[in-house]
Structure formats: C-alpha cells, structure tokens
C-alpha cells in the first residue's frame, strides 16, 4: 500500500513547517500541506480567543472549547476525505491531548496508509525560535515540547534541536512508500 498521509506532530516552533516545505520539494509526487494553523485561521473571529473556541492564555497555554472541538472533528474528516479522493496529504498538528489526539486522527484516517512522524525539539531551543518568530505567545513552545508526545506512537521520529529541516525531511522521506 502506498502512503496517502503523513502526520507530523510536534509542539509550537518545533520546525514542522520547514520540514513540510522540504518534504514537498523532495517527494516525487505533489503533497498538500494542511495543518492546525490552517484550521485556526479559518475560524470565525468569535471562536478565536473564546472559551467555546480556542483560548490561548498569556502564559502560552492553549484551551480548546467545545465548538472548536466539534469543528476540529469535522476538519479531520474533511482532510481524510481529500486523501481518500486521491490527494497526498501532509498534516501539521499539535497533539495537545497526546494519545487522545492521535486516536482522533486514527479514527478519521482509518483505511488510509498513514506515516506517523514525531517532530521533537528541546524546549529551550523551541522557546528561542518562538521568541525569534515574534508571532506566538511566549511560553507555548516550552509547554508543548514534551506534552504533545505523551503516549503517542510514531513510525519515525526526528529531532530538530540540531538537525536542519532538509535532513529531517530526507529521513522521513525514506519511510514514505
């Protein structure tokens, strides 16, 4: 069976976006990149910074409300439908619920050939990247660095603490069938 979907899970500022751009450049067929940030950007303003939607605290903590959770389930099913229709999909996610978040994706992606990738990064390095980016609430990267990997199963893991995006993408690409 050929890989339909690659799921990259890692904390904020762990380097997932750079790896995805490199994967798109080196994989022999076109892959669409879709991620939690795409979903968040599509939310109505009323659900951003909302207890019902997505609330990011001043310390970088992220709280997911019931309306966001419902839309996120629909989003996951929609992404899976695109893969079932023949698109190759790279998912960029942050498993705030650890294993529970992976289970949600496993359910949506049932029947597809999925490559599960853990993108790890030392929390201090991720925090430094977060600070340099300037577009994230400080503290998010450090809080998520280990949390998102708790109880999650991976086919392959990469660590961006010292490795460049292209090297990580090449490692991942060797597991794509």
């Amino acid at each position: 069976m050929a890989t339909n979907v690659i799921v990259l899970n890692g904390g904020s500022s762990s380097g997932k976006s750079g790896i995805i751009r490199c994967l798109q450049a080196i994989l022999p067929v076109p892959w669409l990149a879709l991620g939690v940030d795409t979903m968040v950007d599509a939310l109505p303003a009323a659900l951003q910074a909302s207890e019902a939607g997505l609330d990011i605290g001043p310390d970088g903590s992220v709280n997911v409300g019931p309306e966001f959770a419902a839309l996120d389930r629909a989003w996951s099913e929609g992404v899976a439908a695109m893969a079932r229709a023949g698109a190759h999909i790279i998912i960029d996610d942050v498993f705030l619920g650890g294993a529970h978040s992976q289970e949600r994706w496993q359910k949506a992606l049932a029947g597809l050939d999925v490559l599960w990738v853990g993108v790890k990064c030392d929390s201090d390095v991720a925090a430094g990247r977060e600070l340099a980016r300037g577009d994230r609430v400080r503290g998010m990267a450090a809080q998520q660095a280990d949390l998102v990997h708790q109880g999650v199963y991976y086919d392959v893991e990469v660590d961006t603490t010292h490795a460049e995006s292209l090297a990580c993408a090449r490692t991942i690409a060797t597991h794509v069938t």
Side-chain angles (χ1 to χ4, degrees):
M1 206 171 170
T3 306
N4 306 94
V5 179
I6 302 170
V7 178
L8 273 67
N9 173 49
S12 179
S13 300
S14 63
K16 297 182 307 293
S17 298
I19 292 170
I20 289 171
R21 284 189 297 276
C22 291
L23 281 168
Q24 289 177 308
I26 67 173
L27 290 172
V29 298
W31 287 74
L32 297 176
L34 300 169
V36 66
D37 288 344
T38 309
M39 200 289 214
V40 169
D41 289 344
L43 288 174
L47 289 183
Q48 295 182 16
S50 156
E51 285 185 22
L54 191 66
D55 186 30
I56 300 174
D59 63 348
S61 60
V62 179
N63 298 300
V64 174
E67 289 186 40
F68 179 88
L71 289 171
D72 192 41
R73 282 189 300 276
W75 165 261
S76 301
E77 292 294 333
V79 170
M82 290 173 41
R84 287 188 183 93
H88 290 86
I89 308 288
I90 304 171
I91 298 169
D92 171 347
D93 208 339
V94 179
F95 289 179
L96 294 174
H100 177 72
S101 298
Q102 184 176 36
E103 289 169 12
R104 178 181 51 80
W105 273 114
Q106 286 171 326
K107 185 176 180 180
L109 300 171
L112 295 166
D113 188 5
V114 180
L115 180 67
W116 298 94
V117 180
V119 179
K120 299 188 173 184
C121 183
D122 179 79
S123 62
D124 290 337
V125 171
R129 292 176 185 166
E130 174 183 75
L131 185 61
R133 288 174 73 161
D135 65 348
R136 301 288 163 108
V137 176
R138 287 180 67 180
M140 188 180 298
Q143 286 186 32
Q144 294 176 2
D146 294 320
L147 172 75
V148 302
H149 300 292
Q150 292 179 359
V152 178
Y153 160 81
Y154 298 113
D155 297 305
V156 62
E157 295 180 16
V158 294
D159 189 329
T160 65
T161 303
H162 303 291
E164 294 294 326
S165 296
L166 183 57
C168 292
R170 285 183 175 141
T171 298
I172 295 164
T174 65
H175 295 272
V176 175
T177 57

